[in-house]
Amino acid sequence: MPPAIGYAAIMLAAGIGIPILAALNANLGGRIGSPAAAATILFIVALLGAATVMVLTGGTRSLTALPGQPKHLFLAGLLVAFYVLSITWVAPHFGLGNAVFFVLLGQIAAAALIDHFALFGARASPITWQRAAGIALMGVGVLLARRP
């Protein structure tokens, strides 16, 4: 199997997990009365899961390289927190589908710009007219899918 198929399968699974994560955490937040508490629990569980994988794969040695890394790279954690907190709070009010569809629309636009300008160390992939048309089609699809 070519590596690209494996990568695509992993990312498809991650994509499937996003609305499931949103639904589960929004439900937990509603049941306990605090989206922030539900997000905190999610992060504790995620930390334990990631730490377990790090230990099992020998990644602990990599921690010694952390002090020398650019500080802006750690903002990714704040972006994850923003996503989890916002989806946990917004989904029950706006609808899970609507919330995730707008997340997807933001992801499509941001990913295209990051690739086009090779930001944050991404591999450059210019926005050609074909790519722009595909992105626009995806955007229209997202907007159509959110209509009742």
Side-chain angles (χ1 to χ4, degrees):
M1 169 185 350
I5 292 173
Y7 297 150
I10 291 168
M11 295 319 300
L12 181 63
I16 291 168
I18 287 174
I20 295 170
L21 172 158
L24 294 173
N25 221 51
N27 191 316
L28 179 61
R31 292 171 71 93
I32 65 175
S34 173
T40 301
I41 297 304
L42 177 141
F43 285 119
I44 290 169
V45 172
L47 173 65
L48 293 173
T52 299
V53 171
M54 178 184 65
V55 168
L56 292 176
T57 61
T60 54
R61 293 183 301 275
S62 300
L63 295 176
T64 60
L66 282 177
Q69 302 310 307
K71 300 304 175 228
H72 71 277
L73 297 179
F74 298 100
L75 293 175
L78 292 178
L79 292 172
V80 169
F82 174 72
Y83 168 74
V84 170
L85 286 164
S86 63
I87 198 83
T88 302
W89 179 71
V90 170
H93 304 287
F94 192 49
L96 180 65
N98 284 337
V100 172
F101 290 149
F102 278 98
V103 166
L104 180 59
L105 194 55
Q107 286 178 323
I108 292 167
L113 290 173
I114 289 168
D115 282 354
H116 180 76
F117 294 107
L119 301 174
F120 315 115
R123 186 174 69 191
S125 184
I127 299 177
T128 62
W129 72 268
Q130 295 100 329
R131 248 185 123 201
I135 292 165
L137 256 163
M138 290 174 76
V140 169
V142 166
L143 292 175
L144 288 174
R146 73 168 279 283
R147 292 182 176 242

